[in-house]
Amino acid sequence: MKEEIVADMDPKEMKARMKMPRQPMGEQDAKERVKNFYEVPLGYTPEQAIAEAKRCIQCKKPLCVAGCPVGIDIPWFIRLIEEGKFVEAARKLKETNALPAVCGRVCPQEDQCELVCIVGKKNEPVAIGRLEKFAADYEREHGEVSVPDAAKSTGKKIAVVGGGPAGLTVAGDMVKKGHSVTVFEALHTPGGVLMYGIPEFRLPKKIVSAEVDCLAKMGVDFQCNSVVGKLDTIDELIADGYEAVFIGSGAGLPYFMNIPGENLIGVYSANEYLTRVNLMKAYQFPEYDTPVIRGRHVVVVGGGNTAMDAARTALRLCPKTVSLVYRRSREELPAREEEVHHAEEEGLDFQLLRNPVRFIGDEDGRLIAVECVKMELGEPDDSGRRRPVVIEGSEYQLECDVAIISIGNGANPLIPQTSPDINVNKWGNILGDPETGRTSKKGVFAGGDIVRGGATVILAMGDGRKAADSMDEYLKDGKW
Amino acid sequence: MYEITEKRDLAHRVSLFKIKAPRIAKKRKAGQFIVLRLDEHGERIPLTIVDSDNEAGTITIVVQEVGRTSSLLCQKGKGDTILDVVGPLGKPTHIENFGTAVCVGGGIGTAVVLPISVALKGAGNEVLSIVGARNKDLLILEDEITEASTKLHVTTDDGSYGHHGFVTSVLEDLIKDGRKIDIVIAIGPVPMMKAVAEVTRPYGIKTLVSLNPIMVDGTGMCGACRVTVGGKNQFVCVDGPEFDGHEVDFKELVLRNRSYLKEERIAIEEATYHEGTKCYERGDCS
Ligand SMILES: Cc1cc2nc3c(=O)[nH]c(=O)nc-3n(C[C@H](O)[C@H](O)[C@H](O)COP(=O)(O)OP(=O)(O)OC[C@H]3O[C@@H](n4cnc5c(N)ncnc54)[C@H](O)[C@@H]3O)c2cc1C
Ligand SMILES: Cc1cc2nc3c(=O)[nH]c(=O)nc-3n(C[C@H](O)[C@H](O)[C@H](O)COP(=O)(O)OP(=O)(O)OC[C@H]3O[C@@H](n4cnc5c(N)ncnc54)[C@H](O)[C@@H]3O)c2cc1C
Ligand code: SF4
Ligand code: SF4
Ligand code: FES
């Protein structure tokens, strides 16, 4: 029982705890790590984890829980770590979060759980994400991963379209509820962005595979190489006996800038660049067959997490320079501060308040330079951020042989095209009820990036959880 | 795993495979393709579905050895397996009774155009086929094309068989003879498709070409396959592979298909040299 664990804390002890410094996390040295694709943070040792767990004052009304989109019982799992019960801590996490090893690494904690942690008011907040990563890694590395029991079979079968975090969450929750689940994934492996987008040095692929294997052991049937809409449409799946369908097909359509020279050799979308390197392992070419152009001078356009991932990937492929061209100032960079900091350490050259206007190629159609203009910040726009304005006559050229365009993704139109009775907004995102994931089509649910546009792993998982609950209800009462 | 149930060599460095893929066999339509990956280390490459057999649950592909993956594939035989096959991808060819359709196939494009000819004939069109090869030995699928056509014209570059010359000269002759042609479908090497489009342009004959850019996912996620058509960016894997030949920027396509020339050379050398060589160990980092 919770009450037994969370005892009231002596005020003196509480004060002492609030003064303890945050445990630093060891990392690979920047000079070394740009030569490899191994994970950058080394993770806490058990001693460090316990010391960090001691910083939590075990709030009775923990603000951190409200800051977590899936409402993990944070003080409880931290308490278990403090007591050295690491495997129990991991299991506690898994009650609410199917992928703690992933979220502990990639969640923007500083904007979520850690932002509101009470210790953070005067000191640095408790390192909730690092503790989450620690517990999940400990369980996996010590071979203690348990396969959760599934409820008695309900005899009902459901389909999940897309094996990203949203789809995997629905799959896990629904098998636990006793339904038979098939995940249809377009690529040759499930995981979505976790597999093809986020680089190995931030999220080792074996961690994602381990989570997928665990789901398979629980009974989830994975059908890879299955593009829904091309192989079977949603209607055909329903006709085939799937009583409900969850669509978690993500926001996988790369935007380009529509400026001259964008189709020169060496200009990539971030999706293509990252897919080649992560999913297809082009960083190990020619051991792996898929090539990628290893630029001497690389320019990344954009300022989000994806841009930072692309830039840090490029830094690991033996370039002379990697520059990030972003049209606003450093303050507005949408990427996580931690990633920006890592990128700086690794030698990324930030060209802020700059914007590309055209790419220049040689006679073989290969990229040789990008022409940029300088920008200044004007009046705030609709989003409240100051609008970047071009400074006339400020053109200059930047030598480059690889450019990676990372200005966002839209919704893949394949499913809405083949299921016109699923309503979408003007950007092509599926309209799903925020509380239930229900779409305009009976029996069909949706969540994650296909509904939200590019968001986060944990929000996609939160959507999956809500959709699974609502789907379970629907399977029982048939009400829409 | 996808099993190869039949393999036949059609010409020098061109082989036909039947692959067990019942779900794809059931769904596929003329003009669509698959993406395959041979093994864990493999690259994803696109290949047209030439035919399918719903009963046997197989699809047919015809492969020309041009580089690493296609060569490795051609070393495989009956009973071997392919790790991943995904499809059917791309938009099916729009089939209707146009009247008279001319199907032009060059080299390996002959295999790609075959399912379209079959479908057009099935829809009641008069199908005039023109297939070209460098010489008689490289001519493929002659029987199949004959069956799918009202009339077949064969050309060889060296005159070893059929008409001596290029497919375009036969096409020009047909047009000049006053044959009413409602649509031309040309599939083959880019220079051939471009030449065909130039022949038909002055006459305003609708001309479709099937483009073969480099692809990765084949589902619209990466943009590797983008081409400029009518001044607009199109993703061949989802918007195509067929486009109006009069609008395509062929020059850009040719250049983009050369993106990895240097890397392809390394890949082929690696295949004959030693395993496990990592790029950064080859002094590429200087
Ligand atoms: C480079 C990059 C870095 C990021 N970094 C972070 C980060 O640090 N922290 C964070 O929280 N978020 C990050 N994000 C965002 C986060 O990854 C996404 O919000 C999240 O993955 C969305 O999950 P999803 O399940 O909705 O979709 P996805 O992860 O996109 O998965 C969708 C899956 O559906 C499959 N699919 C698509 N269409 C079909 C179809 N027709 N049939 C079958 N399958 C289909 C796709 O192949 C894919 O596997 C990052 C995103 C990118 C691109
Ligand atoms: C929609 C589509 C359908 C196709 N159908 C067929 C088919 O039915 N049969 C068939 O044999 N081939 C087909 N191709 C071409 C086939 O995909 C390429 O030949 C293959 O990817 C080459 O891979 P590789 O590793 O063997 O060669 P690589 O080592 O990658 O390349 C070797 C040489 O081939 C050229 N090349 C690379 N990629 C392509 C490409 N996509 N198209 C043309 N040349 C390329 C390069 O310029 C290079 O010089 C199709 C391509 C597309 C896009
Ligand atoms: S899932 Fe993310 S937001 Fe929730 S507790 Fe973990 S790190 Fe914080
Ligand atoms: S808010 Fe901070 S101190 Fe309070 S329970 Fe959460 S992690 Fe612990
Ligand atoms: S191959 Fe990736 S978008 Fe077409």
Side-chain angles (χ1 to χ4, degrees), chain A residues 110-392:
Chain A
E110 64 282 5
D111 295 330
Q112 296 178 353
C113 52
E114 294 181 16
L115 178 72
V116 288
C117 167
I118 196 83
V119 176
K121 296 269 185 284
K122 293 234 168 82
N123 193 345
E124 281 187 276
V126 176
I128 302 168
R130 292 171 180 183
L131 288 172
E132 189 171 337
K133 164 177 147 71
F134 168 79
D137 286 355
Y138 185 92
E139 185 199 28
R140 192 187 59 256
E141 282 160 14
H142 288 77
E144 304 250 16
V145 176
S146 64
V147 177
D149 295 328
K152 201 171 138 282
S153 168
T154 60
K156 298 199 187 268
K157 129 175 149 149
I158 67 122
V160 172
V161 182
L168 293 177
T169 305
V170 173
D173 282 8
M174 291 305 273
V175 276
K176 278 194 224 156
K177 294 179 201 288
H179 306 297
S180 138
V181 181
T182 307
V183 176
F184 296 94
E185 167 55 52
L187 291 171
H188 53 254
T189 178
V193 171
L194 307 181
M195 219 57 189
Y196 77 74
I198 303 181
E200 178 77 20
F201 54 84
R202 224 155 52 79
L203 178 63
K205 299 307 147 221
K206 67 167 200 284
I207 289 171
V208 185
S209 308
E211 302 292 357
V212 170
D213 287 349
C214 182
L215 289 174
K217 282 196 198 120
M218 285 162 69
V220 176
D221 173 28
F222 285 98
Q223 296 282 334
C224 291
N225 298 317
S226 303
V227 186
V228 173
K230 286 289 174 188
L231 211 46
D232 283 315
T233 60
I234 303 276
D235 279 330
E236 285 164 331
L237 290 176
I238 293 171
D240 224 23
Y242 293 99
E243 289 178 50
V245 180
F246 175 81
I247 303 172
S249 53
L253 178 81
Y255 289 146
F256 287 91
M257 285 183 296
N258 299 317
I259 59 175
E262 220 166 7
N263 289 356
L264 290 166
I265 299 173
V267 183
Y268 287 106
S269 73
N271 275 8
E272 182 185 356
Y273 190 76
L274 291 169
T275 300
R276 282 182 179 273
V277 178
N278 291 321
L279 182 71
M280 307 309 296
K281 306 218 177 327
Y283 67 95
Q284 295 182 53
F285 178 87
E287 205 184 318
Y288 282 77
D289 292 341
T290 305
V292 70
I293 300 174
R294 291 173 174 245
R296 286 286 182 246
H297 300 281
V298 181
V299 165
V300 178
V301 183
N305 281 323
T306 308
M308 231 43 77
D309 281 344
R312 296 180 63 202
T313 298
L315 280 161
R316 283 162 173 75
L317 294 173
C318 323
K320 286 204 164 72
T321 61
V322 179
S323 308
L324 184 97
V325 174
Y326 177 58
R327 62 198 180 116
R328 301 178 199 252
S329 70
R330 186 179 159 130
E331 261 163 58
E332 287 87 9
L333 274 175
R336 291 181 64 190
E337 175 53 35
E338 185 186 341
E339 303 310 326
V340 176
H341 173 69
H342 275 143
E344 255 168 358
E345 283 182 339
E346 290 166 8
L348 179 62
D349 160 47
F350 286 83
Q351 303 253 342
L352 300 167
L353 289 164
R354 304 282 186 269
N355 205 30
V357 287
R358 73 184 170 113
F359 293 105
I360 302 161
D362 64 11
E363 64 277 13
D364 294 328
R366 289 185 177 263
L367 178 68
I368 52 173
V370 55
E371 185 169 300
C372 299
V373 285
K374 299 186 180 164
M375 315 285 286
E376 60 192 352
L377 290 180
E379 294 300 307
D381 62 11
D382 299 344
S383 71
R385 295 184 301 179
R386 292 174 67 196
R387 188 197 305 269
V389 194
V390 176
I391 302 176
E392 289 305 325

Side-chain angles (χ1 to χ4, degrees), chain A residues 35 184 186-188 196 223-227 230-233 236 252-254 256 258 262-269 271-272 275-276 279-280 283-294 296 316-318 320 363-366 405 409 412 414 417, chain B residues 2 23-24 27 32 37 39-44 68-69 72 83-92 214-217 219-224 226-228 233 235 252 255-256 258-261 263-264 266-267 270 276-280 282 284-286:
Chain A
K35 295 186 205 146
F184 296 94
L187 291 171
H188 53 254
Y196 77 74
Q223 296 282 334
C224 291
N225 298 317
S226 303
V227 186
K230 286 289 174 188
L231 211 46
D232 283 315
T233 60
E236 285 164 331
L253 178 81
F256 287 91
N258 299 317
E262 220 166 7
N263 289 356
L264 290 166
I265 299 173
V267 183
Y268 287 106
S269 73
N271 275 8
E272 182 185 356
T275 300
R276 282 182 179 273
L279 182 71
M280 307 309 296
Y283 67 95
Q284 295 182 53
F285 178 87
E287 205 184 318
Y288 282 77
D289 292 341
T290 305
V292 70
I293 300 174
R294 291 173 174 245
R296 286 286 182 246
R316 283 162 173 75
L317 294 173
C318 323
K320 286 204 164 72
E363 64 277 13
D364 294 328
R366 289 185 177 263
I405 300 178
N409 287 329
N412 190 317
L414 198 57
Q417 264 169 15
Chain B
Y2 298 78
R23 291 195 300 160
I24 303 176
K27 275 284 163 168
Q32 290 188 295
R37 188 174 75 128
D39 53 43
E40 274 305 325
H41 287 223
E43 180 178 24
R44 295 170 64 103
R68 171 147 172 100
T69 307
L72 287 175
L83 184 57
D84 294 297
V85 177
V86 54
L89 301 173
K91 287 194 180 142
I214 294 173
M215 293 189 177
V216 183
D217 59 305
T219 66
M221 182 269 275
C222 77
R226 61 198 192 275
V227 293
T228 307
N233 231 350
F235 289 5
E252 180 186 272
L255 292 175
R256 281 184 65 80
R258 294 193 194 133
S259 296
Y260 299 101
L261 278 186
E263 288 79 7
E264 280 153 17
I266 296 171
E270 192 263 350
T277 326
K278 294 210 174 76
C279 167
Y280 44 85
R282 271 200 332 274
D284 202 21
C285 253
S286 52

Side-chain angles (χ1 to χ4, degrees), chain B residues 48-274:
Chain B
T48 303
I49 306 169
V50 172
D51 196 2
S52 61
D53 180 338
N54 210 349
E55 230 151 78
T58 59
I59 54 169
T60 304
I61 54 169
V62 174
V63 188
Q64 177 170 37
E65 285 184 51
V66 294
R68 171 147 172 100
T69 307
S70 49
S71 306
L72 287 175
L73 176 56
C74 286
Q75 283 164 26
K76 290 193 181 273
K78 187 178 168 187
D80 289 340
T81 55
I82 296 168
L83 184 57
D84 294 297
V85 177
V86 54
L89 301 173
K91 287 194 180 142
T93 311
H94 173 74
I95 301 291
E96 62 170 67
N97 191 347
F98 296 99
T100 302
V102 174
C103 292
V104 187
I108 189 77
T110 309
V112 180
V113 83
L114 175 62
I116 300 170
S117 312
V118 171
L120 285 171
K121 195 164 178 222
N125 287 280
E126 183 151 348
V127 177
L128 308 178
S129 290
I130 311 173
V131 307
R134 264 185 289 139
N135 60 52
K136 183 173 190 297
D137 294 337
L138 292 175
L139 183 68
I140 55 169
L141 302 169
E142 191 181 355
D143 293 346
E144 287 84 346
I145 293 275
T146 307
E147 199 182 316
S149 318
T150 320
K151 184 155 176 36
L152 168 67
H153 302 265
V154 175
T155 71
T156 49
D157 297 4
D158 65 354
S160 52
Y161 190 64
H163 177 92
H164 185 173
F166 295 126
V167 288
T168 37
S169 56
V170 176
L171 177 61
E172 265 183 312
D173 290 348
L174 286 178
I175 297 172
K176 285 192 182 132
D177 283 353
R179 288 240 26 166
K180 188 180 144 303
I181 298 173
D182 300 289
I183 189 165
V184 171
I185 293 152
I187 306 181
V190 176
M192 183 209 93
M193 293 193 281
K194 186 170 191 293
V196 168
E198 289 318 317
V199 168
T200 57
R201 191 192 300 273
Y203 303 94
I205 301 171
K206 185 174 173 185
T207 302
L208 290 181
V209 293
S210 180
L211 305 185
N212 58 349
I214 294 173
M215 293 189 177
V216 183
D217 59 305
T219 66
M221 182 269 275
C222 77
C225 62
R226 61 198 192 275
V227 293
T228 307
V229 181
K232 282 217 294 269
N233 231 350
Q234 298 278 334
F235 289 5
V236 173
C237 68
V238 285
D239 302 324
E242 282 156 26
F243 294 97
D244 180 347
H246 297 145
E247 299 281 340
V248 173
D249 184 342
F250 288 106
K251 186 169 166 232
E252 180 186 272
L253 176 63
V254 170
L255 292 175
R256 281 184 65 80
N257 270 348
R258 294 193 194 133
S259 296
Y260 299 101
L261 278 186
K262 186 182 112 201
E263 288 79 7
E264 280 153 17
R265 217 171 43 234
I266 296 171
I268 297 213
E269 282 166 11
E270 192 263 350
T272 35
Y273 283 108
H274 47 115

